[in-house]
Amino acid sequence: MIKKLLTVALFVGISATNTNAQSKLTVDKVYSAYLRNSGAIIEQGQIKGYFYLIQSDKIDRKTNEYTLQIVDENLNKVQDIKFEDTKKLSLLESAYNGGSLAFLFKNEEEKLLQMKVYDLDGKLKFTYSRPYTKKTDALMAQYETLHTDEGMNQTVFNLGDKGYISVLPLRDGREQTYEVDMYSSEKKKQWTYVPDGDDQKFAQAEYLGATDSLVILEVIRKNRRMSGSGTAHLVGINPMTKKKVFDIDDEKDKWTFVPSSVLPVPGSGKFVAMGNYFDKDANIAKDASKGLAIYEIDNKGNILNKTYNSWAVDIAKHLPTNTKGKIDNIGYLYIHKMIPTPDGKFFIVGEGYKKQASAGGIALTALGAMSGSYGNAGVTKVVVTDLVVMEFDGGYKMKDARIYDKTNNTVIGGPMSDYVSQHLLAMYIKMTGSFDYEFTTGNPEENNFVICYSDWVRSSDYKGETFNSIRYNGTKFTQDKIELKSKASRMRVLPAKSGSVMIIEYFKKDKRLECRLEKLG
C-alpha cells in the first residue's frame, strides 16, 4: 500500500517564519530519497510544519552531501541544513519533541550509532556516539531486513522537553535482552538502563508509551531461549531517576494479560493499558486469547481497575466473532489506536489479518513432492483485511463496532506464514509497516477526529491506490477518499492541517521531490 511506496525521511513539527501560504513545493537535485524513516510529528494535536532529509549531492567516492530542509505547515521553506558525511551513512529513525529534532544514524564506516539532536533553527546541539558491536547485531539485522524504509519507529521516541528515549535489542550468544537509552535535548547528558538478573537473559521489550514521569514497556521473558511462550510484564521506568518503578506481571491474576497499547490520562497520574487476555495456562505465543482487557494503572504501578470484554459474549454482540477471537471474513484483530473523547467514550481502531491458502504455494509444494524435492514455498499466505472501529463506554465496556471494507492485501508468504503464531505475525506486520492504517488526526478532546488508511481499488471506474479517511464529528462517522494516480517513482501521504493531507512524490529519473497539500473529500 501507500506506505510501501516512499522511502524518504519526512516529519511534521516546525512553526513558520514565512506566512505566505502555498500548496505545493518542488525540490530539485535530489540524488536519492531513501533514508530510513517516515512519520508524522504533531504538537498538541496540531500540524506545525514539515521537514525531510535527502541526499543532495555526491562529494567524492566516499562522501555524500545531505540536506535537512524544514518547511512550515503551508510548505513555505524555513530552513536548509547541509552537512557532509560518509556515503555509508544510514538514517535509522527520527523523532521530534516540540523543541528539537533527533536523528539516529548508523555510520558503517566508523562502526558507530550516532544520535544527533538539532534545535528548531537547524543548529546541531548535541551528538551522542556509541560503537555498535556484536551485542547490537540484532538491531542492525532488524533494520537491514524487517525494518524497511516504510516502517514505523521501532526504537526511538520523544519524551517531551526531557529529550528522547531508545529501546534497543541486545544479543550476546544465545542470550537476548534489551537496553533503554535516554538522551537529553537540554544539555549533553545520556544514560543507559540495562535490566539485570537471571530472569532477564531472554527478554524482548517493546515501547508502548510514556507519561510525564514514566517510560512504559511491554516485556516478554523466558527462563531459557526455547522454554515455552514466556511471561508478559508491564514495566515502568523513570527516565530521570534511571530506576525501574514497577514490573507488573499476571502471577496473582485470574487471567494472563498481554498489553499492546497504553494511553496516558493527562493530569490524573494514571494511564490506561489495553491488550489481549488469556487463560492462565495458555501459551501466549500460540493459543487464542479470551478477549480484550483494559486496565487503569497509576504511575506507581497500582492497578486501579480491570475490565474484560470477551470475544464470545461482549464483543460477539457487535461483531461476528468466535471464541478464538477471529472475526468472520476479517480474522484476528490488531489494535492500532485508542482515542478518548470528552464525553467519556473510548474509540479503538483495529485492523484485521488472517492466514489464507496460497494457491501458488500449494502448487509448488505439490510439484516439489512429485519430483522428490521439498522447497520453501509454503502453503499459506497472510493477508491484511478490513478496518474496524469499536466504541467503548466510560466503564470500558464495548457498545458498538463498525467494519470498513477494503481490499485484502497480501503481506507474508512462504513457510513463515505456515508456522508462526498469529501474535508473532502481527508484530512482524507492524514492524515492516504492512498494515494499511496510516494515522489519526484531529482534536479528540473537542469530539472530532479523522482515521486515515490506504487501500487498493479494482473497479470499472478506477484501478489503483486510494487514500481514505473516516471522520467523526461527535455524533456520526462519514467517509472520504482520494484517488492516487501518478508517474512518480514513489509516493506517500502524511497528515496535514485540518481537512487536508500532505502528498509527497519522488521522481527518480528527474531527481525531483514534490510535496503538495490536497483537501480530503
Side-chain angles (χ1 to χ4, degrees), residues 210-265:
T211 69
D212 292 341
S213 60
L214 290 173
V215 173
I216 304 170
L217 309 176
E218 176 200 4
V219 178
I220 304 295
R221 294 189 198 134
K222 298 181 181 181
N223 293 328
R224 299 185 307 277
R225 182 176 176 84
M226 301 302 292
S227 65
S229 64
T231 57
H233 299 253
L234 194 66
V235 176
I237 299 170
N238 186 313
M240 305 312 295
T241 65
K242 314 173 190 178
K243 295 182 179 179
K244 181 170 65 177
V245 179
F246 58 77
D247 185 339
I248 302 172
D249 60 26
D250 51 39
E251 184 178 348
K252 298 180 181 180
D253 281 358
K254 178 181 178 181
W255 309 104
T256 294
F257 176 50
V258 181
S260 59
S261 181
V262 300
L263 179 70
V265 182

Side-chain angles (χ1 to χ4, degrees), residues 343 345 347 446-449 471-477:
D343 52 6
K345 297 178 182 177
F347 291 91
E446 296 179 6
N447 231 350
N448 69 80
F449 55 84
R471 183 183 300 274
Y472 180 70
N473 65 2
T475 56
K476 65 178 182 178
F477 287 90

Side-chain angles (χ1 to χ4, degrees), residues 11-161:
F11 267 80
V12 182
I14 310 300
S15 297
T17 57
N18 181 350
T19 58
N20 296 321
Q22 62 180 48
S23 59
K24 188 174 181 179
L25 173 69
T26 299
V27 185
D28 295 313
K29 296 182 180 180
V30 179
Y31 284 79
S32 64
Y34 61 87
L35 295 180
R36 286 182 174 89
N37 196 47
S38 60
I41 296 179
I42 302 170
E43 185 176 14
Q44 297 180 347
Q46 301 299 313
I47 304 299
K48 297 296 182 181
Y50 299 88
F51 74 79
Y52 50 86
L53 185 69
I54 58 176
Q55 180 194 332
S56 51
D57 203 354
K58 297 180 180 180
I59 303 303
D60 55 38
R61 194 165 51 88
K62 295 183 178 181
T63 309
N64 289 333
E65 177 192 79
Y66 301 94
T67 298
L68 173 64
Q69 189 170 97
I70 301 169
V71 298
D72 69 11
E73 69 273 23
N74 295 309
L75 307 186
N76 298 302
K77 187 183 294 187
V78 176
Q79 186 75 259
D80 270 355
I81 306 166
K82 293 183 182 292
F83 63 94
E84 296 178 9
D85 213 320
T86 171
K87 65 183 296 184
K88 294 184 178 181
L89 184 75
S90 300
L91 173 62
L92 302 182
E93 290 190 4
S94 304
Y96 165 78
N97 70 352
S100 63
L101 299 162
F103 299 90
L104 179 64
F105 290 98
K106 172 191 174 185
N107 187 321
E108 189 175 346
E109 184 175 14
E110 298 181 24
K111 303 296 182 185
L112 291 175
L113 287 177
Q114 295 178 317
M115 181 76 83
K116 296 186 177 184
V117 180
Y118 289 84
D119 64 21
L120 299 191
D121 293 324
K123 181 182 177 181
L124 180 63
K125 297 181 68 176
F126 310 117
T127 298
Y128 299 96
S129 298
R130 54 170 288 177
Y132 62 84
T133 63
K134 289 184 178 180
K135 284 191 174 185
T136 49
D137 278 347
L139 175 66
M140 298 301 102
Q142 172 181 314
Y143 281 107
E144 291 167 4
T145 55
L146 300 184
H147 186 98
T148 65
D149 291 323
E150 302 81 17
M152 298 171 62
N153 270 28
Q154 294 296 313
T155 63
V156 180
F157 308 92
N158 86 78
L159 288 179
D161 57 8

Side-chain angles (χ1 to χ4, degrees), residues 159-432:
L159 288 179
D161 57 8
K162 297 181 181 68
Y164 301 91
I165 201 86
S166 67
V167 183
L168 306 181
L170 300 179
R171 182 170 292 159
D172 189 3
R174 294 177 62 85
E175 295 182 4
Q176 180 175 324
T177 185
Y178 65 95
E179 72 176 38
V180 179
D181 292 282
M182 165 75 181
Y183 303 91
S184 173
S185 57
E186 296 303 313
K187 53 186 177 181
K188 191 165 186 180
K189 186 178 180 182
Q190 185 266 338
W191 61 260
T192 299
Y193 168 85
V194 179
D196 56 8
D198 291 340
D199 62 341
Q200 304 281 359
K201 290 183 178 179
F202 304 100
Q204 291 178 293
E206 180 180 359
Y207 173 91
L208 295 184
T211 69
D212 292 341
S213 60
L214 290 173
V215 173
I216 304 170
L217 309 176
E218 176 200 4
V219 178
I220 304 295
R221 294 189 198 134
K222 298 181 181 181
N223 293 328
R224 299 185 307 277
R225 182 176 176 84
M226 301 302 292
S227 65
S229 64
T231 57
H233 299 253
L234 194 66
V235 176
I237 299 170
N238 186 313
M240 305 312 295
T241 65
K242 314 173 190 178
K243 295 182 179 179
K244 181 170 65 177
V245 179
F246 58 77
D247 185 339
I248 302 172
D249 60 26
D250 51 39
E251 184 178 348
K252 298 180 181 180
D253 281 358
K254 178 181 178 181
W255 309 104
T256 294
F257 176 50
V258 181
S260 59
S261 181
V262 300
L263 179 70
V265 182
S268 69
K270 65 181 181 181
F271 62 93
V272 176
M274 183 176 189
N276 285 274
Y277 70 96
F278 298 77
D279 282 326
K280 198 66 176 177
D281 58 351
N283 182 324
I284 62 175
K286 297 180 180 180
D287 296 338
S289 72
K290 301 294 290 183
L292 298 175
I294 301 176
Y295 285 17
E296 276 189 342
I297 305 171
D298 69 20
N299 287 342
K300 295 181 180 179
N302 299 309
I303 300 175
L304 308 176
N305 182 53
K306 303 176 185 178
T307 305
Y308 301 96
N309 290 268
S310 68
W311 298 115
V313 179
D314 303 288
I315 300 175
K317 294 176 183 178
H318 309 284
L319 292 169
T321 307
N322 65 25
T323 56
K324 294 185 177 181
K326 291 187 71 174
I327 305 170
D328 291 351
N329 301 319
I330 291 178
Y332 295 103
L333 202 62
Y334 180 81
I335 303 302
H336 287 297
K337 186 78 172 178
M338 301 171 63
I339 308 170
T341 54
D343 52 6
K345 297 178 182 177
F346 267 83
F347 291 91
I348 308 296
V349 183
E351 189 169 359
Y353 64 99
K354 65 180 180 179
K355 294 182 180 181
Q356 284 186 343
S358 171
I362 292 171
L364 289 172
T365 301
L367 286 172
M370 291 173 63
S371 64
S373 63
Y374 296 89
N376 293 317
V379 296
T380 64
K381 61 182 179 181
V382 178
V383 297
V384 169
T385 60
D386 299 331
L387 207 72
V388 179
V389 179
M390 299 172 286
E391 180 182 330
F392 292 76
D393 63 19
Y396 307 116
K397 297 298 290 186
M398 190 171 179
K399 291 298 181 184
D400 198 7
R402 299 165 181 83
I403 298 174
Y404 295 89
D405 295 334
K406 54 186 179 68
T407 303
N408 286 1
N409 171 26
T410 301
V411 293
I412 304 174
M416 180 178 180
S417 61
D418 290 351
Y419 302 114
V420 174
S421 74
Q422 69 267 24
H423 308 298
L424 294 180
L425 286 173
M427 293 175 65
Y428 178 89
I429 297 170
K430 177 187 176 183
M431 184 180 294
T432 56

